[in-house]
Amino acid sequence: MKAILPPAMLGILGGGQLGRMFAAAAKTMGYRVTVLDPDPQAPAADFADVHLCKPYTDEAALAELAAGCAAITTEFENVNADSMKWLAAQRVPVSPSGECVAIAQDRIVEKTFIRKAGLSTAPFLAVHTAKDLEGDLSPYLPGILKTARLGYDGKGQVRVKTAEEARYALSELKHQACVLEKMLPLVAEVSVIVARTSRNEVVSFPVAENRHEGGILDVSIVPARIAPAVTERARQMAMQLAESLDYVGVLAVEFFVLDGDELVINEMAPRPHNSGHYTLDATLTSQFEQQVRAMCGLYPGRTDLLSPAVMVNLLGDVWGDGGAEPNWEVLLTAPNAKLHLYGKREARVGRKMGHFNVLAGSSDAALEQAEAIRATLAGERTPADA
Ligand code: ATP
Ligand code: MG
């Protein structure tokens, strides 16, 4: 593939915060950006030259995208994989491919693929119909029943202890296709972001250690506080998965670390990932610049960690009742902290509004300071709710 150079127009399906940070990276390099997103207030629109405000399956909008863009990517996996295949058929380079996105869209297909690639997952049972839950379920219990499609931030998941509970949970999930996955004792959760070009140049970013709150990523700590050998293995596994997929673009791989330093893959995302936001400040190349480079056929940029870093997600909860602005003073006066807001007008509980990164001498020092900063943010309360 011949390199696509600035000021070429790059297209992206989806205009949320990931699309916004992609667009910012592309614009910084001198590319132009077209965003397809039905939301008139899509966060990425602030950085886009063109905002096609249409549904993802709108044929005229897809045709416009194909005609006007030198390359196309996506910011989320639940985009219609057929739309991506249609775009690719118009001879526009589309990365990642619709085929890779389709694999990541379905937990059954995804976990089966990971196993076939010689990598491990938690023990799981594919549940297409209630009949699949009739046999011996003991290898998967206690477990989690997860819908095969459209799950995110822990939605569409039910924890079950017995076969009866599993069957009941399936009816609660309206008999959608599911996986029944064994609940594993986790020592830690980590993730690796990989970037790969069509010439099989593949790089991995340093491993992030992730903590969740209420099913949503809360904090990423980099470097992860796990043994160096485990770090190295996680990076190798993530790159192996990208190669098995013949993947082009940025791929995020989430792992569970088990007792005895065992690593299993939880899931993958065919795009930059929330746990990779530390790369905006702590590596020479961010995951979003890497997405631009991969789709344009440029070489991947350097990924080594310039400083230990901690990323803290800012959910709408921080805005307090009535949408009061957080108190940014301490964060904005800390010379080693970096605020990133996504330009969303309405703060809702659980909504990702932004994040901040803290760079310090060690993971522990960054974590301690990040927690101290976070404690100062809560929006000013009016006397009525004080
Ligand atoms: P997200 O969108 O945040 O990635 P998701 O809806 O895709 O979430 P999962 O990643 O499958 O869901 O699970 C969410 C969280 O639940 C995991 O990060 C982990 O903390 C816990 N979890 C999931 N599966 C298991 C398991 N088999 N054993 C133990 N904990 C699990
Ligand atoms: Mg997950």
Side-chain angles (χ1 to χ4, degrees):
M1 171 182 166
K2 202 163 163 280
I4 296 164
L5 301 173
M9 180 70 87
L10 307 181
I12 183 162
L13 299 165
Q17 63 267 17
L18 299 177
R20 176 185 174 93
M21 291 181 270
F22 162 81
K27 294 293 291 177
T28 300
M29 294 172 76
Y31 291 97
R32 289 171 296 140
V33 175
T34 298
V35 171
L36 174 61
D37 190 312
D39 178 1
Q41 291 176 4
D46 287 349
F47 289 90
D49 296 271
V50 181
H51 176 196
L52 299 170
C53 194
K54 292 277 165 50
Y56 298 115
T57 48
D58 186 288
E59 285 177 18
L62 289 169
E64 202 174 330
L65 206 60
C69 296
I72 295 171
T73 186
T74 179
E75 69 146 12
F76 68 140
E77 56 273 36
N78 291 330
V79 66
N80 192 318
D82 288 335
S83 296
M84 300 187 69
K85 289 177 194 163
W86 184 87
L87 287 166
Q90 311 311 301
R91 301 178 160 273
V92 197
V94 176
S95 64
S97 67
E99 287 77 8
C100 287
V101 171
I103 292 169
Q105 272 174 356
D106 186 306
R107 289 191 202 274
I108 299 174
V109 181
E110 175 184 54
K111 287 174 195 291
T112 306
F113 187 94
I114 293 167
R115 291 265 180 112
K116 276 206 189 121
L119 300 164
S120 46
T121 67
F124 74 95
L125 175 72
V127 181
H128 296 282
T129 71
K131 237 173 164 313
D132 294 319
L133 290 178
E134 279 170 12
D136 174 22
L137 302 184
S138 58
Y140 315 104
L141 293 172
I144 310 182
L145 193 69
K146 304 179 178 182
T147 58
R149 300 180 78 88
L150 298 175
Y152 69 98
D153 290 344
K155 293 182 175 68
Q157 302 199 0
V158 186
R159 299 191 172 203
V160 294
K161 291 201 198 74
T162 63
E164 251 121 77
E165 282 181 24
R167 289 180 205 119
Y168 180 72
L170 185 66
S171 63
E172 278 202 316
L173 293 171
K174 309 229 156 53
H175 292 274
Q176 297 174 69
C178 286
V179 294
L180 176 62
E181 196 179 303
K182 187 172 176 62
M183 189 79 170
L184 300 174
L186 312 184
V187 173
E189 294 190 55
V190 301
S191 56
V192 176
I193 314 283
V194 174
R196 186 174 179 273
T197 68
S198 56
R199 295 178 301 264
N200 195 19
E201 291 132 359
V202 56
V203 294
S204 64
F205 281 96
V207 180
E209 173 187 342
N210 302 319
R211 287 199 201 153
H212 301 84
E213 279 296 331
I216 304 178
L217 181 68
D218 182 38
V219 173
S220 292
I221 303 157
V222 196
R225 296 165 300 174
I226 56 176
V230 184
T231 295
E232 197 40 48
R233 204 153 18 96
R235 293 176 78 153
Q236 290 304 330
M237 287 170 74
M239 290 192 284
Q240 188 182 328
L241 183 57
E243 284 180 30
S244 303
L245 287 161
D246 196 16
Y247 194 89
V248 179
V250 171
L251 176 73
V253 185
E254 295 179 24
F255 296 84
F256 296 146
V257 185
L258 310 179
D259 217 24
D261 286 344
E262 193 190 336
L263 277 172
V264 303
I265 295 182
N266 173 27
E267 59 177 351
M268 62 183 167
R271 51 169 172 80
H273 193 258
N274 196 164
S275 66
H277 290 353
Y278 75 88
T279 64
L280 287 163
D281 298 307
T283 54
L284 185 64
T285 319
S286 75
Q287 58 173 347
F288 303 102
E289 180 177 332
Q290 221 67 289
Q291 186 178 16
V292 174
R293 285 169 173 261
M295 77 190 289
C296 291
L298 309 177
Y299 285 90
R302 275 179 63 168
T303 58
D304 49 307
L305 198 63
L306 303 175
S307 162
V310 161
M311 187 259 358
V312 177
N313 258 346
L314 295 169
L315 302 184
D317 313 45
V318 182
W319 270 245
D321 312 326
E325 272 298 303
N327 181 354
W328 299 123
E329 196 182 335
V330 173
L331 200 174
L332 289 178
T333 48
N336 56 332
K338 303 273 282 185
L339 176 62
H340 299 261
L341 291 177
Y342 309 147
K344 296 182 184 178
R345 292 185 211 163
E346 196 196 336
R348 290 192 298 267
V349 170
R351 188 177 200 203
K352 290 176 180 169
M353 301 296 290
H355 67 270
F356 68 92
N357 291 326
V358 172
L359 276 60
S362 69
S363 297
D364 286 329
L367 182 59
E368 193 178 325
Q369 193 186 348
E371 294 289 10
I373 289 174
R374 190 223 301 261
T376 67
L377 295 178
E380 300 246 335
R381 306 281 158 161
T382 52
D385 51 51

